[in-house]
Amino acid sequence: MTARTKVKQALDQGKPGNTILVKGWARTIRNSKEVTFISLNDGSCLSGIQVVAEPDLPNYEEVTGIGTGSALAVTGLLQESPAAGQKLELKAQQIEVVGGADQEYPMQKKRHSFEYLRTIAHLRVRSNTFGAVFRVRSALAQEVHRFFAERGFLYVHTPIITANDCEGAGELFRVTTLDLAHPPLVNGEIDFSKDFFATGTGLTVSGQLEGELFAQAFSDIYTFGPTFRAENSNTARHAAEFWMIEPEMAFADLADDADLAEAFFKRLCRFALDHCGEDMNFFNTQIDKGLIQRIEAVAQASFARMDYGEAIERLKKAPVSFQFPVEWGLDLQSEHERYLTEQVVGGPVFILNYPKEIKAFYMRQNDDGKTVAAMDLLVPKVGEIIGGSQREERLELLERRMLETGITSESLSWYLDTRRWGSTPHAGFGLGFERLIMYLTGMENIRDVIPFPRTPRHAEF
């Protein structure tokens, strides 16, 4: 029995005269009187292999009636192709219809909008664009692990169900087993002591706090897992479920944090260019014409560093008008971030040391009393892509900051313990995996770089 050959292997390593067995799905079928051409794709690469079926096939009549989307097993002889754009084709000796598809199959040969394809997310992965997206996504995920493994980082699985809100924004999805129609009440409020965990819990917004605990034992760690925000936002950049990469380093400061973020981001850019060539060329041609040139520039760049205060002064002097106000103490908006990276620096830039009022409680307070040791990495076209900070390792200052922001010491006693016993300077950052994929593929909607997007009023599939 002939072993199955993947289409990518057949196209890359096959030689004319080889007899092979390929299995996949019919993307297109062209029938004529004397021959039928089938483009067969199995997801292993962007290209399909052209199957040539002629009337001497025992089931040729059945073959001429095959519908687009059908699953096929084809045994045949590799031969040089006279058609432009492909070296090899497969002259069919036997075609088995593994699973047929009728005329109602929604992925017929025409261009479909991304909006339409979201309504058939269970089938859109058979298209060229989404095949390329999810091959790149898979390859990048594996490269993330390689990057940290090479540097001796420990991979930590932080909890998905949590009793703390790391960002303090209150945008948690509730996790409960209580009867929602008749919840137990105390003084008119839900009594979570009767719940499964005996306290209010939700889906995590970040693995950072637990990651910090592990860094205080293993020095260098990272998390890479799903995170959730119950933010009622319908923008192209927000999803309710997404994946985060969050390294944490003990005995490290803000400069070390930026160094790691720069090395990490450049490594992923280089990897996509060097190892996902066919798919990246597709994105460059079909999705974003300047994509490869832009990513190449970032991969080779030396990332600039600029204080928040200087960034505000540069924006105030900008010869353009912004929609959002520019003042010290206000957060930077996307238009400001893009101006800084595209017009002021002309490449990637870290903005450092933000006002403490606009940043999270756990960020290390600087000696000026006004700012914290925070950093954002801005890149051309999208603005912020990585956010991080040195963490506040001093117990008294952390407790005072928590009090200022309305967080009780009791709720995070375990977090404060690491500042009591063997505290070290430490730092880390977060990179939204979907944001990274959007950047590297040119795809403009987060719903199109995650297999089954979760957004307000949408949890199909």
Side-chain angles (χ1 to χ4, degrees):
M1 183 178 174
T2 308
R4 179 188 176 191
T5 301
K6 290 288 185 78
V7 168
K8 179 176 174 56
Q9 185 185 351
L11 295 175
D12 289 349
Q13 301 168 21
K15 292 181 171 56
N18 289 355
T19 298
I20 62 169
L21 165 66
V22 293
K23 298 179 180 181
W25 294 267
R27 286 280 179 86
T28 62
I29 299 164
R30 289 183 290 127
N31 287 314
S32 68
K33 206 169 189 179
E34 297 300 324
V35 67
T36 293
F37 296 105
I38 301 169
S39 176
L40 198 72
N41 188 288
D42 64 2
S44 59
C45 61
L46 184 72
S47 306
I49 189 165
Q50 176 164 278
V51 175
V52 182
E54 295 179 338
D56 57 356
L57 269 181
N59 62 338
Y60 185 69
E61 193 172 327
E62 180 192 14
V63 167
T64 59
I66 289 171
T68 303
S70 297
L72 308 175
V74 182
T75 301
L77 195 68
L78 277 175
Q79 57 187 24
E80 291 182 2
S81 174
Q86 55 189 18
K87 291 181 184 175
L88 298 170
E89 62 185 21
L90 190 63
K91 179 173 172 23
Q93 296 166 334
Q94 181 182 337
I95 296 180
E96 177 193 352
V97 180
V98 178
D102 59 27
Q103 292 303 309
E104 292 182 13
Y105 177 65
M107 298 278 294
Q108 298 297 331
K109 189 186 176 183
K110 61 176 183 178
R111 288 189 85 88
H112 298 293
S113 70
F114 291 153
E115 290 78 9
Y116 168 70
L117 289 171
R118 280 175 219 138
T119 69
I120 53 167
H122 56 310
L123 296 170
R124 68 176 181 170
V125 288
R126 297 191 196 179
S127 68
N128 283 340
T129 299
F130 290 96
V133 165
F134 294 117
R135 274 188 300 273
V136 169
R137 183 182 173 111
S138 172
L140 285 169
Q142 294 171 63
E143 185 65 6
V144 166
H145 291 297
R146 275 191 293 269
F147 174 88
F148 288 115
E150 287 170 10
R151 285 161 175 76
F153 278 63
L154 184 85
Y155 178 34
V156 183
H157 296 131
T158 51
I160 288 173
I161 299 173
T162 179
N164 65 74
D165 179 2
C166 174
E167 301 298 328
E171 294 166 343
L172 271 75
F173 287 102
R174 286 283 164 212
V175 173
T176 182
T177 58
L178 295 176
D179 180 353
L180 297 183
H182 304 97
L185 301 175
V186 173
N187 299 324
E189 295 193 349
I190 294 176
D191 180 9
F192 284 108
S193 70
K194 302 289 195 296
D195 207 349
F196 187 92
F197 295 106
T199 187
T201 54
L203 298 178
T204 185
V205 299
S206 168
Q208 179 201 314
L209 301 188
E210 292 88 354
E212 286 186 52
L213 310 187
F214 266 69
Q216 295 305 311
F218 295 95
S219 297
D220 297 327
I221 68 95
Y222 73 105
T223 77
F224 185 2
T227 51
F228 308 84
R229 300 271 168 94
E231 182 181 0
N232 191 11
S233 175
N234 266 307
T235 77
R237 289 167 62 86
H238 290 89
E241 176 185 272
F242 52 99
W243 286 65
M244 285 285 288
I245 303 156
E246 296 175 292
E248 198 75 31
M249 298 178 290
F251 309 103
D253 61 15
L254 190 63
D256 298 320
D257 205 24
D259 287 345
L260 181 71
E262 178 173 347
F264 182 49
F265 197 73
K266 286 162 77 168
R267 167 76 168 263
L268 295 176
C269 289
R270 185 80 264 151
F271 176 82
L273 294 169
D274 292 348
H275 297 276
C276 305
E278 185 186 29
D279 291 323
M280 293 299 289
N281 284 327
F282 170 83
F283 292 124
N284 191 66
T285 304
Q286 300 294 331
I287 304 296
D288 181 352
K289 292 286 193 284
L291 178 72
I292 287 179
Q293 184 180 0
R294 187 173 67 251
I295 294 171
E296 186 70 58
V298 170
Q300 296 179 12
S302 177
F303 292 14
R305 302 187 186 191
M306 181 188 300
D307 256 30
Y308 168 88
E310 182 186 344
I312 291 296
E313 291 307 310
R314 295 287 194 106
L315 290 167
K316 281 185 171 181
K317 293 173 183 173
V320 297
S321 57
F322 296 111
Q323 180 185 350
F324 292 94
V326 176
E327 287 296 336
W328 199 98
L330 297 179
D331 211 352
L332 299 178
Q333 302 296 321
S334 289
E335 59 175 345
H336 307 141
E337 294 168 347
R338 288 192 60 179
Y339 180 82
L340 289 168
T341 181
E342 292 169 13
Q343 305 301 321
V344 175
V345 175
V349 56
F350 287 103
I351 306 299
L352 309 170
N353 302 313
Y354 282 77
K356 67 178 183 179
E357 283 76 19
I358 61 173
K359 289 296 182 181
F361 75 93
Y362 51 73
M363 296 188 178
R364 193 183 202 277
Q365 298 169 60
N366 290 326
D367 294 340
D368 60 14
K370 300 190 301 179
T371 63
V372 289
M375 67 164 199
D376 285 339
L377 173 60
L378 314 183
V379 291
K381 195 177 182 195
V382 300
E384 185 212 339
I385 196 149
I386 286 177
S389 71
Q390 185 174 339
R391 319 308 190 188
E392 183 55 82
E393 85 280 11
R394 297 163 294 182
L395 179 62
E396 286 183 14
L397 273 69
L398 181 57
E399 286 182 318
R400 193 184 311 156
R401 186 73 184 125
M402 286 169 63
L403 200 62
E404 289 173 7
T405 54
I407 300 170
T408 64
S409 297
E410 296 75 33
S411 67
L412 288 176
S413 60
W414 49 271
Y415 183 67
L416 292 171
D417 279 351
T418 60
R419 274 65 173 178
R420 288 191 179 92
W421 303 310
S423 182
T424 72
H426 59 289
F429 62 79
L431 170 61
F433 192 44
E434 285 74 26
R435 294 270 179 97
L436 169 74
I437 298 164
M438 289 168 70
Y439 183 74
L440 293 178
T441 62
M443 298 294 285
E444 295 191 339
N445 197 309
I446 195 169
R447 296 167 178 84
D448 297 329
V449 294
I450 194 166
F452 302 104
R454 299 296 184 242
T455 55
R457 292 170 292 283
H458 288 288
E460 305 94 329
F461 313 109

